[in-house]
Structure formats: structure tokens, C-alpha cells
């Protein structure tokens, strides 16, 4: 039961960060945040649950997406 509540809290926080960001993340588009999340999830599933690979692929995908958009130099 505790694990279910913990997973629900984490899912809620991630959803809040993606949909209603604050600070510098608010300057990025929703599509970039959703695509980075999808890339991280796909990498996580393809590597059979390797959290580090999923996290790194999401961060790298997000950085490339905002670089292409021109938000970082």
C-alpha cells in the first residue's frame, strides 16, 4: 500500500513539473518536455529498467530539443 502511494505521489509531481513548470523550465515548450519524457521512458523500457540510461537519454534529448529551438547557445 505504501509503495502505491509513493508511486502516485511521484507520478503526480512529474506530471505537475511537465504540464505546469516554473522557473527556466517554463520558457520551454510543452512538446519538448513531453518528447523528452517519452524518450526517457522508451530508453528505460528498452534497457530493461536501467534508470540511469533512461534519465540520461531524457536529459540529452531535452537539451538537444531546446538547442535546436534556440533557447541555449
Amino acid at each position: 500500500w505504501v509503495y502505491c502511494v509513493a508511486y502516485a505521489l511521484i507520478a503526480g509531481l512529474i506530471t505537475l513539473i511537465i504540464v505546469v513548470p516554473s522557473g527556466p523550465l517554463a520558457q520551454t515548450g510543452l512538446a519538448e518536455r513531453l518528447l523528452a519524457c517519452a524518450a526517457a521512458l522508451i530508453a528505460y523500457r528498452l534497457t530493461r529498467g536501467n534508470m540511469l540510461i533512461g534519465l540520461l537519454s531524457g536529459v540529452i534529448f531535452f537539451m538537444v530539443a531546446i538547442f535546436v529551438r534556440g533557447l541555449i547557445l
Side-chain angles (χ1 to χ4, degrees), residues 13-22 25 30 33-34:
L13 287 173
I14 291 172
T15 303
L16 185 65
I17 289 170
I18 291 173
V19 176
V20 188
S22 63
L25 194 59
L30 178 63
R33 295 188 302 267
L34 289 174

Side-chain angles (χ1 to χ4, degrees), residues 17-70:
I17 289 170
I18 291 173
V19 176
V20 188
S22 63
L25 194 59
Q27 297 175 357
T28 62
L30 178 63
E32 290 143 351
R33 295 188 302 267
L34 289 174
L35 288 173
C37 184
L41 182 62
I42 289 169
Y44 174 77
R45 298 296 281 171
L46 287 176
T47 58
R48 296 185 183 102
N50 189 336
M51 185 72 75
L52 181 63
I53 299 296
L55 177 67
L56 288 177
S57 66
V59 169
I60 291 169
F61 186 89
F62 184 69
M63 289 182 69
V64 167
I66 62 174
F67 179 76
V68 167
R69 188 171 175 220

